[in-house]
Amino acid sequence: MDVEAAPETVPLEASSPYELRVDNAKHVPENVIKSSLLTGDIGFLHSYTTGSAVDGPGVRVVAWTAGCQFKCLYCHNPDTWNLMNGIPVPIEKAIEGVGKYRNALKVMNGGFTLSGGEPLMQDRFAVRLFAAVKGMGIHTAIDTNGHLGDRLSDEELNNIDLVLLCIKSLNPEQHKTLVGKELGPTLEFAHRLSALERPMWLRFVLVPGFTDGEEDVDRMARFLAEMGNCRRVDILPFHQMGRYKWERLGLDYKLDDVEPPSAEVIERVCEQFRSRGLEAY
Ligand code: SF4
């Protein structure tokens, strides 16, 4: 299967992660998709961008994978839910693509981040990409919801310098409401990272009326402080930039009336994490 002979080609590099991208893998036969998921020979990417300063330390090249098993009510990239929306990229091309930035990334104390979607939906592709990128001396990070963390062996985790773990909520019912899946697997992954002393940053999406409750935030802060491996908390304020994608994809968007959190609430939440000895921004 020559994936470069796709009938429609869109540039892999996106001007913004908010670009709506659909049906880019519809020409790929089902058996090729299945074998690619088993081998990691081909990855399905929404896009990539260079020069990110918000997806890990320093300046980063970020690749967004297609496919996610969560359906977060506030997801700003619902076009990444479906693997078939991703652009098929052979693993060699992906490695070569990141390698081009190797020197620049080192100078800028940055690295490579694999995000999504959920990168571990394509765990074999992720594992091969991380091994090669780390082998080039580039800092590696994964941005994950952690639900499929058990797909990575301890050895494979060693090729990931930093896990950006997105725990949506520590309240099991609220977690289910927010994302449609159980909290348990993400918590198990968090505990495992702690036991292995693997560096982790929390990505915490602050959604008024859902995740901004003082008690819930304190519960999260205590949990992280006890884990001992959380080096930083990034507060990601809810916004409405992805709303148009829900409309264009014909999805039922439930957060129409939710406003972004105020500066005061963001500061209060930051302080709650800091009061437990965590670095928070
Ligand atoms: S985990 Fe991320 S990509 Fe998946 S639905 Fe939630 S916000 Fe969207």
Side-chain angles (χ1 to χ4, degrees), residues 213-237:
E214 284 199 41
E215 262 182 45
D216 288 336
V217 173
D218 191 50
R219 185 175 178 180
M220 184 73 83
R222 272 184 286 127
F223 173 78
L224 291 173
E226 282 162 19
M227 289 287 109
N229 62 330
C230 181
R231 306 280 164 82
R232 166 173 164 149
V233 177
D234 276 343
I235 312 287
L236 310 176

PDB file of all heavy atoms in Angstrom, residues 213-237:
ATOM      1  N   GLY A 213     -14.519  23.318  41.295  1.00  0.00           N
ATOM      2  CA  GLY A 213     -14.943  23.271  42.707  1.00  0.00           C
ATOM      3  C   GLY A 213     -13.734  23.214  43.641  1.00  0.00           C
ATOM      4  O   GLY A 213     -12.785  22.479  43.374  1.00  0.00           O
ATOM      5  N   GLU A 214     -13.788  23.995  44.723  1.00  0.00           N
ATOM      6  CA  GLU A 214     -12.625  24.079  45.619  1.00  0.00           C
ATOM      7  C   GLU A 214     -12.242  22.719  46.187  1.00  0.00           C
ATOM      8  O   GLU A 214     -11.067  22.362  46.242  1.00  0.00           O
ATOM      9  CB  GLU A 214     -12.917  25.053  46.762  1.00  0.00           C
ATOM     10  CG  GLU A 214     -12.838  26.488  46.298  1.00  0.00           C
ATOM     11  CD  GLU A 214     -12.667  27.462  47.466  1.00  0.00           C
ATOM     12  OE1 GLU A 214     -11.905  27.170  48.392  1.00  0.00           O
ATOM     13  OE2 GLU A 214     -13.337  28.496  47.414  1.00  0.00           O
ATOM     14  N   GLU A 215     -13.250  21.959  46.584  1.00  0.00           N
ATOM     15  CA  GLU A 215     -12.959  20.644  47.183  1.00  0.00           C
ATOM     16  C   GLU A 215     -12.334  19.695  46.167  1.00  0.00           C
ATOM     17  O   GLU A 215     -11.383  18.970  46.469  1.00  0.00           O
ATOM     18  CB  GLU A 215     -14.242  20.014  47.712  1.00  0.00           C
ATOM     19  CG  GLU A 215     -14.426  20.224  49.190  1.00  0.00           C
ATOM     20  CD  GLU A 215     -15.685  19.547  49.689  1.00  0.00           C
ATOM     21  OE1 GLU A 215     -15.927  18.390  49.312  1.00  0.00           O
ATOM     22  OE2 GLU A 215     -16.418  20.206  50.448  1.00  0.00           O
ATOM     23  N   ASP A 216     -12.879  19.714  44.963  1.00  0.00           N
ATOM     24  CA  ASP A 216     -12.359  18.826  43.914  1.00  0.00           C
ATOM     25  C   ASP A 216     -10.912  19.192  43.558  1.00  0.00           C
ATOM     26  O   ASP A 216     -10.068  18.324  43.340  1.00  0.00           O
ATOM     27  CB  ASP A 216     -13.233  18.894  42.653  1.00  0.00           C
ATOM     28  CG  ASP A 216     -14.576  18.199  42.869  1.00  0.00           C
ATOM     29  OD1 ASP A 216     -14.650  17.328  43.750  1.00  0.00           O
ATOM     30  OD2 ASP A 216     -15.536  18.531  42.156  1.00  0.00           O
ATOM     31  N   VAL A 217     -10.640  20.493  43.476  1.00  0.00           N
ATOM     32  CA  VAL A 217      -9.276  20.924  43.148  1.00  0.00           C
ATOM     33  C   VAL A 217      -8.325  20.523  44.269  1.00  0.00           C
ATOM     34  O   VAL A 217      -7.218  20.021  44.022  1.00  0.00           O
ATOM     35  CB  VAL A 217      -9.228  22.460  42.912  1.00  0.00           C
ATOM     36  CG1 VAL A 217      -7.784  22.933  42.752  1.00  0.00           C
ATOM     37  CG2 VAL A 217     -10.046  22.836  41.674  1.00  0.00           C
ATOM     38  N   ASP A 218      -8.766  20.692  45.502  1.00  0.00           N
ATOM     39  CA  ASP A 218      -7.894  20.330  46.622  1.00  0.00           C
ATOM     40  C   ASP A 218      -7.619  18.824  46.637  1.00  0.00           C
ATOM     41  O   ASP A 218      -6.508  18.384  46.929  1.00  0.00           O
ATOM     42  CB  ASP A 218      -8.501  20.785  47.953  1.00  0.00           C
ATOM     43  CG  ASP A 218      -7.475  20.661  49.067  1.00  0.00           C
ATOM     44  OD1 ASP A 218      -6.348  21.166  48.876  1.00  0.00           O
ATOM     45  OD2 ASP A 218      -7.770  20.015  50.094  1.00  0.00           O
ATOM     46  N   ARG A 219      -8.636  18.065  46.288  1.00  0.00           N
ATOM     47  CA  ARG A 219      -8.462  16.602  46.223  1.00  0.00           C
ATOM     48  C   ARG A 219      -7.380  16.248  45.188  1.00  0.00           C
ATOM     49  O   ARG A 219      -6.519  15.408  45.422  1.00  0.00           O
ATOM     50  CB  ARG A 219      -9.810  16.005  45.815  1.00  0.00           C
ATOM     51  CG  ARG A 219      -9.882  14.505  45.803  1.00  0.00           C
ATOM     52  CD  ARG A 219     -11.323  14.137  45.490  1.00  0.00           C
ATOM     53  NE  ARG A 219     -11.561  12.736  45.399  1.00  0.00           N
ATOM     54  CZ  ARG A 219     -12.757  12.200  45.135  1.00  0.00           C
ATOM     55  NH1 ARG A 219     -13.798  12.981  44.953  1.00  0.00           N
ATOM     56  NH2 ARG A 219     -12.916  10.902  45.056  1.00  0.00           N
ATOM     57  N   MET A 220      -7.437  16.921  44.051  1.00  0.00           N
ATOM     58  CA  MET A 220      -6.436  16.689  42.997  1.00  0.00           C
ATOM     59  C   MET A 220      -5.052  17.112  43.487  1.00  0.00           C
ATOM     60  O   MET A 220      -4.058  16.401  43.279  1.00  0.00           O
ATOM     61  CB  MET A 220      -6.819  17.488  41.749  1.00  0.00           C
ATOM     62  CG  MET A 220      -5.931  17.274  40.553  1.00  0.00           C
ATOM     63  SD  MET A 220      -6.174  15.665  39.775  1.00  0.00           S
ATOM     64  CE  MET A 220      -7.594  16.012  38.728  1.00  0.00           C
ATOM     65  N   ALA A 221      -4.976  18.258  44.148  1.00  0.00           N
ATOM     66  CA  ALA A 221      -3.674  18.769  44.621  1.00  0.00           C
ATOM     67  C   ALA A 221      -3.073  17.813  45.650  1.00  0.00           C
ATOM     68  O   ALA A 221      -1.869  17.512  45.614  1.00  0.00           O
ATOM     69  CB  ALA A 221      -3.857  20.166  45.210  1.00  0.00           C
ATOM     70  N   ARG A 222      -3.904  17.319  46.568  1.00  0.00           N
ATOM     71  CA  ARG A 222      -3.403  16.373  47.586  1.00  0.00           C
ATOM     72  C   ARG A 222      -2.911  15.089  46.934  1.00  0.00           C
ATOM     73  O   ARG A 222      -1.869  14.549  47.270  1.00  0.00           O
ATOM     74  CB  ARG A 222      -4.506  16.059  48.607  1.00  0.00           C
ATOM     75  CG  ARG A 222      -4.540  17.032  49.769  1.00  0.00           C
ATOM     76  CD  ARG A 222      -5.574  16.630  50.810  1.00  0.00           C
ATOM     77  NE  ARG A 222      -6.926  16.907  50.333  1.00  0.00           N
ATOM     78  CZ  ARG A 222      -7.916  16.031  50.289  1.00  0.00           C
ATOM     79  NH1 ARG A 222      -7.741  14.793  50.689  1.00  0.00           N
ATOM     80  NH2 ARG A 222      -9.111  16.371  49.851  1.00  0.00           N
ATOM     81  N   PHE A 223      -3.694  14.614  45.990  1.00  0.00           N
ATOM     82  CA  PHE A 223      -3.342  13.379  45.282  1.00  0.00           C
ATOM     83  C   PHE A 223      -1.967  13.518  44.623  1.00  0.00           C
ATOM     84  O   PHE A 223      -1.091  12.660  44.765  1.00  0.00           O
ATOM     85  CB  PHE A 223      -4.421  13.083  44.232  1.00  0.00           C
ATOM     86  CG  PHE A 223      -4.102  11.933  43.309  1.00  0.00           C
ATOM     87  CD1 PHE A 223      -4.259  10.622  43.738  1.00  0.00           C
ATOM     88  CD2 PHE A 223      -3.643  12.159  42.015  1.00  0.00           C
ATOM     89  CE1 PHE A 223      -3.962   9.547  42.893  1.00  0.00           C
ATOM     90  CE2 PHE A 223      -3.347  11.097  41.163  1.00  0.00           C
ATOM     91  CZ  PHE A 223      -3.511   9.796  41.607  1.00  0.00           C
ATOM     92  N   LEU A 224      -1.763  14.631  43.927  1.00  0.00           N
ATOM     93  CA  LEU A 224      -0.496  14.826  43.215  1.00  0.00           C
ATOM     94  C   LEU A 224       0.667  14.986  44.177  1.00  0.00           C
ATOM     95  O   LEU A 224       1.765  14.461  43.936  1.00  0.00           O
ATOM     96  CB  LEU A 224      -0.586  16.063  42.321  1.00  0.00           C
ATOM     97  CG  LEU A 224      -1.522  15.932  41.130  1.00  0.00           C
ATOM     98  CD1 LEU A 224      -1.653  17.259  40.430  1.00  0.00           C
ATOM     99  CD2 LEU A 224      -1.030  14.869  40.156  1.00  0.00           C
ATOM    100  N   ALA A 225       0.425  15.720  45.251  1.00  0.00           N
ATOM    101  CA  ALA A 225       1.505  15.919  46.232  1.00  0.00           C
ATOM    102  C   ALA A 225       1.943  14.566  46.803  1.00  0.00           C
ATOM    103  O   ALA A 225       3.131  14.317  46.998  1.00  0.00           O
ATOM    104  CB  ALA A 225       1.031  16.857  47.336  1.00  0.00           C
ATOM    105  N   GLU A 226       0.979  13.701  47.037  1.00  0.00           N
ATOM    106  CA  GLU A 226       1.314  12.370  47.581  1.00  0.00           C
ATOM    107  C   GLU A 226       2.044  11.498  46.557  1.00  0.00           C
ATOM    108  O   GLU A 226       2.875  10.671  46.929  1.00  0.00           O
ATOM    109  CB  GLU A 226       0.029  11.650  48.033  1.00  0.00           C
ATOM    110  CG  GLU A 226      -0.470  12.152  49.377  1.00  0.00           C
ATOM    111  CD  GLU A 226      -1.932  11.783  49.633  1.00  0.00           C
ATOM    112  OE1 GLU A 226      -2.444  10.864  48.960  1.00  0.00           O
ATOM    113  OE2 GLU A 226      -2.556  12.433  50.501  1.00  0.00           O
ATOM    114  N   MET A 227       1.745  11.693  45.280  1.00  0.00           N
ATOM    115  CA  MET A 227       2.404  10.883  44.237  1.00  0.00           C
ATOM    116  C   MET A 227       3.912  11.132  44.209  1.00  0.00           C
ATOM    117  O   MET A 227       4.708  10.248  43.943  1.00  0.00           O
ATOM    118  CB  MET A 227       1.827  11.214  42.856  1.00  0.00           C
ATOM    119  CG  MET A 227       0.417  10.731  42.608  1.00  0.00           C
ATOM    120  SD  MET A 227       0.306   8.955  42.363  1.00  0.00           S
ATOM    121  CE  MET A 227      -0.474   8.521  43.873  1.00  0.00           C
ATOM    122  N   GLY A 228       4.311  12.389  44.450  1.00  0.00           N
ATOM    123  CA  GLY A 228       5.737  12.710  44.565  1.00  0.00           C
ATOM    124  C   GLY A 228       6.491  12.880  43.254  1.00  0.00           C
ATOM    125  O   GLY A 228       7.655  13.256  43.269  1.00  0.00           O
ATOM    126  N   ASN A 229       5.868  12.593  42.117  1.00  0.00           N
ATOM    127  CA  ASN A 229       6.597  12.694  40.837  1.00  0.00           C
ATOM    128  C   ASN A 229       6.051  13.795  39.932  1.00  0.00           C
ATOM    129  O   ASN A 229       6.448  13.896  38.775  1.00  0.00           O
ATOM    130  CB  ASN A 229       6.538  11.350  40.084  1.00  0.00           C
ATOM    131  CG  ASN A 229       5.105  10.951  39.731  1.00  0.00           C
ATOM    132  OD1 ASN A 229       4.164  11.300  40.437  1.00  0.00           O
ATOM    133  ND2 ASN A 229       4.952  10.219  38.649  1.00  0.00           N
ATOM    134  N   CYS A 230       5.117  14.599  40.454  1.00  0.00           N
ATOM    135  CA  CYS A 230       4.522  15.656  39.628  1.00  0.00           C
ATOM    136  C   CYS A 230       5.397  16.902  39.705  1.00  0.00           C
ATOM    137  O   CYS A 230       5.486  17.540  40.752  1.00  0.00           O
ATOM    138  CB  CYS A 230       3.096  15.963  40.091  1.00  0.00           C
ATOM    139  SG  CYS A 230       2.323  17.230  39.073  1.00  0.00           S
ATOM    140  N   ARG A 231       6.022  17.228  38.591  1.00  0.00           N
ATOM    141  CA  ARG A 231       6.970  18.345  38.570  1.00  0.00           C
ATOM    142  C   ARG A 231       6.289  19.683  38.299  1.00  0.00           C
ATOM    143  O   ARG A 231       6.894  20.732  38.518  1.00  0.00           O
ATOM    144  CB  ARG A 231       8.037  18.111  37.498  1.00  0.00           C
ATOM    145  CG  ARG A 231       8.754  16.791  37.627  1.00  0.00           C
ATOM    146  CD  ARG A 231       9.839  16.871  38.717  1.00  0.00           C
ATOM    147  NE  ARG A 231      10.272  15.544  39.126  1.00  0.00           N
ATOM    148  CZ  ARG A 231      11.166  14.803  38.490  1.00  0.00           C
ATOM    149  NH1 ARG A 231      11.718  15.268  37.393  1.00  0.00           N
ATOM    150  NH2 ARG A 231      11.515  13.621  38.949  1.00  0.00           N
ATOM    151  N   ARG A 232       5.071  19.623  37.778  1.00  0.00           N
ATOM    152  CA  ARG A 232       4.431  20.891  37.417  1.00  0.00           C
ATOM    153  C   ARG A 232       2.959  20.638  37.104  1.00  0.00           C
ATOM    154  O   ARG A 232       2.584  19.556  36.645  1.00  0.00           O
ATOM    155  CB  ARG A 232       5.168  21.449  36.188  1.00  0.00           C
ATOM    156  CG  ARG A 232       4.495  22.560  35.463  1.00  0.00           C
ATOM    157  CD  ARG A 232       5.421  23.103  34.387  1.00  0.00           C
ATOM    158  NE  ARG A 232       4.661  23.904  33.459  1.00  0.00           N
ATOM    159  CZ  ARG A 232       5.137  24.943  32.792  1.00  0.00           C
ATOM    160  NH1 ARG A 232       6.387  25.299  32.927  1.00  0.00           N
ATOM    161  NH2 ARG A 232       4.367  25.629  31.981  1.00  0.00           N
ATOM    162  N   VAL A 233       2.152  21.654  37.351  1.00  0.00           N
ATOM    163  CA  VAL A 233       0.735  21.587  36.982  1.00  0.00           C
ATOM    164  C   VAL A 233       0.460  22.703  35.977  1.00  0.00           C
ATOM    165  O   VAL A 233       0.760  23.868  36.243  1.00  0.00           O
ATOM    166  CB  VAL A 233      -0.172  21.784  38.225  1.00  0.00           C
ATOM    167  CG1 VAL A 233      -1.639  21.787  37.823  1.00  0.00           C
ATOM    168  CG2 VAL A 233       0.106  20.710  39.273  1.00  0.00           C
ATOM    169  N   ASP A 234      -0.067  22.333  34.839  1.00  0.00           N
ATOM    170  CA  ASP A 234      -0.483  23.329  33.848  1.00  0.00           C
ATOM    171  C   ASP A 234      -2.000  23.440  33.890  1.00  0.00           C
ATOM    172  O   ASP A 234      -2.713  22.470  33.599  1.00  0.00           O
ATOM    173  CB  ASP A 234      -0.062  22.908  32.430  1.00  0.00           C
ATOM    174  CG  ASP A 234       1.368  23.298  32.109  1.00  0.00           C
ATOM    175  OD1 ASP A 234       1.926  24.161  32.818  1.00  0.00           O
ATOM    176  OD2 ASP A 234       1.932  22.728  31.157  1.00  0.00           O
ATOM    177  N   ILE A 235      -2.474  24.618  34.249  1.00  0.00           N
ATOM    178  CA  ILE A 235      -3.922  24.855  34.238  1.00  0.00           C
ATOM    179  C   ILE A 235      -4.306  25.289  32.821  1.00  0.00           C
ATOM    180  O   ILE A 235      -3.756  26.254  32.294  1.00  0.00           O
ATOM    181  CB  ILE A 235      -4.305  26.009  35.215  1.00  0.00           C
ATOM    182  CG1 ILE A 235      -3.644  25.837  36.578  1.00  0.00           C
ATOM    183  CG2 ILE A 235      -5.817  26.181  35.297  1.00  0.00           C
ATOM    184  CD1 ILE A 235      -4.201  24.767  37.421  1.00  0.00           C
ATOM    185  N   LEU A 236      -5.229  24.574  32.227  1.00  0.00           N
ATOM    186  CA  LEU A 236      -5.665  24.899  30.869  1.00  0.00           C
ATOM    187  C   LEU A 236      -7.091  25.441  30.944  1.00  0.00           C
ATOM    188  O   LEU A 236      -8.046  24.672  31.113  1.00  0.00           O
ATOM    189  CB  LEU A 236      -5.635  23.640  29.978  1.00  0.00           C
ATOM    190  CG  LEU A 236      -4.337  22.813  30.007  1.00  0.00           C
ATOM    191  CD1 LEU A 236      -4.470  21.558  29.158  1.00  0.00           C
ATOM    192  CD2 LEU A 236      -3.158  23.639  29.529  1.00  0.00           C
ATOM    193  N   PRO A 237      -7.240  26.754  30.879  1.00  0.00           N
ATOM    194  CA  PRO A 237      -8.586  27.323  31.008  1.00  0.00           C
ATOM    195  C   PRO A 237      -9.478  26.918  29.832  1.00  0.00           C
ATOM    196  O   PRO A 237      -9.056  26.970  28.670  1.00  0.00           O
ATOM    197  CB  PRO A 237      -8.342  28.837  31.007  1.00  0.00           C
ATOM    198  CG  PRO A 237      -6.876  29.007  31.243  1.00  0.00           C
ATOM    199  CD  PRO A 237      -6.206  27.787  30.704  1.00  0.00           C
TER     200      PRO A 237
END
